Amino acid sequence: MNLYFECSMGAAGDMLASALVSLFENKDEIISELNSLGLPHTVIEYTTAEQCGITGSKLKIVISGEEEKPEEEHHHHHHGRTLAETEEIIKALNISDKVKTDVINIYGIIAEAEGKAHGKPVGEIHFHELGMLDAIADITLTAYLLNRLNAEKIYASPINVGNGTVKCAHGVLPVPAPATANILTGVPYYKSEIQTELCTPTGAAVLKYFTDEFTEKPEMKNVLKIGIGCGTKQLERANILRVFSFEGSETVSELSCNIDDITGEEAAFAMERMLDEGALDCFISPIIMKKGRPAYLFTVLCKKSEEEKFASLIFKHTTTIGIRKYTPSRYTLSRELKEESGVTIKRSDGYGTHREKTEFEDLKRLALENDISLFEAREMLKQ
């Protein structure tokens, strides 16, 4: 399963999270999960809204009894918490280490952009108290939901940033605001006739961090569902952000080579590097070559668009001087990650099959913490 964010009306953190929530069937269940993440002083409610006759999702984020304000009101960072203090809040949340890392990295992108815009080191940037909690909520919810959906690849369209000016504590700034423009470096975006800010710093940072490819038209073999997140501003055009859940082409590339002059440790390291770089799979098979020489068949499965990247990596990390290329097709089950009882559950569905499996590292951690076997840990979770 892949995701495609259509940003023809820009992107804001709350719109991204709202659109993703609408992809889930059981809204009560997912909202309950979001309210269990430990976001400080924050209550999340699911509502619907209408934009130019189009109905979509709108997450209502209430912090200390006050509803989240439009993000442009929090373009100032002259007082409040530092990035380090903000990271401490994030580390205390009831989310996986991966999601914590994602949230901290996104906040780092925003802080670096703000620092560059205001001529200050990242460590001296301060986030407005309420605006900081708003941003933490938006970023955490989006990162958590994307982790739950576990998309193979995330696409986004070029981003409409709007036009005109935006008011902030520093005065009236052009759209895109300096910090947003810094974040969007290397990201395709455009101005339009709409005289307001459409892309906020949080929306820009989240998309820049998670998007694998910006494109107008990804190849959508089969659209599974469309989520719609509504913005707060009422404009002449429907102020919505759509996210498409779809199946792409199942064609992959298989790269393989025979190697007889590499050690087992070197081959294992090469395999680790392939997986770390995003290979769909990598495996090593023992073979016998001419003259009875023992050797390895080194095989990498990757996305067709990444053939050259992995060919280069194979040449870099092995001793081969030639690589064979094949283009097999695959049948795959849809995949989803869900946290239950402090562990991550992998769910797979499709072709009349449903499977659930506990993430091994979580199972291992549970066994070590309780000084029990993996079998006992698995039984403990079942109970």
Side-chain angles (χ1 to χ4, degrees):
M1 184 272 290
N2 305 290
L3 294 175
Y4 173 62
F5 289 102
E6 182 187 71
C7 307
S8 58
M9 286 298 286
D14 61 329
M15 292 174 71
L16 289 165
S18 297
L20 290 170
V21 162
S22 61
L23 292 179
F24 291 83
E25 293 294 337
N26 192 327
K27 301 296 189 295
D28 291 338
E29 179 182 330
I30 194 65
I31 294 300
S32 177
E33 283 186 36
L34 298 181
N35 277 304
S36 70
L37 302 185
L39 291 164
H41 316 297
T42 301
V43 176
I44 301 153
E45 301 174 8
Y46 175 79
T47 62
T48 58
E50 187 176 294
Q51 286 279 350
C52 297
I54 299 175
T55 300
S57 299
K58 183 75 173 77
L59 289 183
K60 183 178 179 181
I61 300 176
V62 181
I63 299 173
S64 298
E66 184 176 348
E67 189 172 354
E68 180 182 23
K69 292 182 173 62
E71 190 175 337
E72 66 179 34
E73 297 182 21
H74 303 303
H75 270 282
H76 50 96
H77 302 278
H78 59 283
H79 67 287
R81 295 179 185 268
T82 64
L83 179 61
E85 291 170 331
T86 304
E87 289 179 356
E88 290 304 311
I89 293 176
I90 297 168
K91 291 175 182 177
L93 297 177
N94 183 29
I95 53 180
S96 67
D97 289 341
K98 180 184 182 304
V99 177
K100 288 179 183 178
T101 299
D102 290 339
V103 177
I104 289 172
N105 288 344
I106 293 168
Y107 233 104
I109 291 173
I110 297 172
E112 183 177 352
E114 291 285 354
K116 185 177 180 180
H118 302 305
K120 294 183 179 180
V122 171
E124 294 183 13
I125 293 296
H126 286 69
F127 297 98
H128 176 267
E129 183 70 14
L130 182 59
M132 178 205 69
L133 294 178
D134 287 348
I136 288 180
D138 291 339
I139 296 170
T140 301
L141 297 181
T142 303
Y144 178 83
L145 292 169
L146 285 173
N147 187 68
R148 282 277 270 107
L149 291 166
N150 193 32
E152 290 185 27
K153 190 167 184 178
I154 296 175
Y155 301 86
S157 70
I159 304 170
N160 183 357
V161 298
N163 214 323
T165 59
V166 59
K167 293 181 181 179
C168 72
H170 300 284
V172 179
L173 302 176
V175 170
T180 306
N182 289 337
I183 294 170
L184 291 175
T185 300
V187 173
Y189 69 90
Y190 60 96
K191 287 192 171 187
S192 65
E193 76 285 359
I194 301 175
Q195 298 296 305
T196 189
E197 179 188 50
L198 295 181
C199 182
T200 64
T202 297
V206 168
L207 286 174
K208 182 172 185 176
Y209 182 78
F210 282 113
T211 301
D212 296 304
E213 181 180 345
F214 286 90
T215 177
E216 287 279 9
K217 297 178 181 179
E219 183 182 349
M220 291 192 271
K221 177 182 177 183
N222 179 29
V223 176
L224 305 173
K225 197 165 186 181
I226 302 173
I228 298 177
C230 289
T232 302
K233 299 175 183 177
Q234 296 293 325
L235 304 171
E236 57 266 35
R237 287 164 53 185
N239 186 19
I240 60 173
L241 184 147
R242 296 196 295 179
V243 57
F244 296 77
S245 168
F246 69 96
E247 293 177 352
S249 171
E250 294 302 322
T251 301
V252 296
S253 291
E254 178 180 312
L255 306 178
S256 64
C257 54
N258 298 351
I259 312 173
D260 64 357
D261 55 350
I262 191 173
T263 68
E265 290 90 347
E266 291 166 342
F269 178 79
M271 181 172 69
E272 290 176 4
R273 294 303 303 132
M274 302 300 137
L275 296 172
D276 289 343
E277 289 290 337
L280 300 174
D281 200 0
C282 181
F283 50 92
I284 302 170
S285 308
I287 58 175
I288 301 296
M289 293 178 60
K290 59 185 179 182
K291 299 181 180 179
R293 295 199 306 271
Y296 296 116
L297 172 60
F298 191 87
T299 305
V300 175
L301 291 180
C302 67
K303 298 169 185 174
K304 190 169 181 60
S305 60
E306 297 183 323
E307 285 177 351
E308 290 192 10
K309 168 187 171 181
F310 282 99
S312 177
L313 287 169
I314 292 172
F315 282 127
K316 177 179 179 179
H317 292 289
T318 74
T319 56
T320 189
I321 58 174
I323 301 171
R324 298 180 295 277
K325 181 182 76 172
Y326 307 96
T327 54
S329 296
R330 301 186 300 163
Y331 289 100
T332 61
L333 300 180
S334 63
R335 284 160 282 183
E336 180 186 37
L337 298 180
K338 182 173 182 179
E339 290 190 24
E340 294 180 1
S341 303
V343 298
T344 300
I345 306 296
K346 298 178 179 179
R347 292 179 174 174
S348 302
D349 291 280
Y351 302 100
T353 300
H354 174 79
R355 293 176 183 154
E356 292 191 359
K357 183 179 180 181
T358 304
E359 175 67 44
F360 176 75
E361 291 301 323
D362 289 345
L363 194 66
K364 176 182 174 182
R365 173 177 51 79
L366 188 63
L368 292 174
E369 288 176 353
N370 293 276
D371 192 24
I372 57 178
S373 69
L374 289 173
F375 312 107
E376 292 170 310
R378 191 174 287 110
E379 287 300 317
M380 179 186 296
L381 290 175
K382 288 181 180 179
Q383 297 170 7

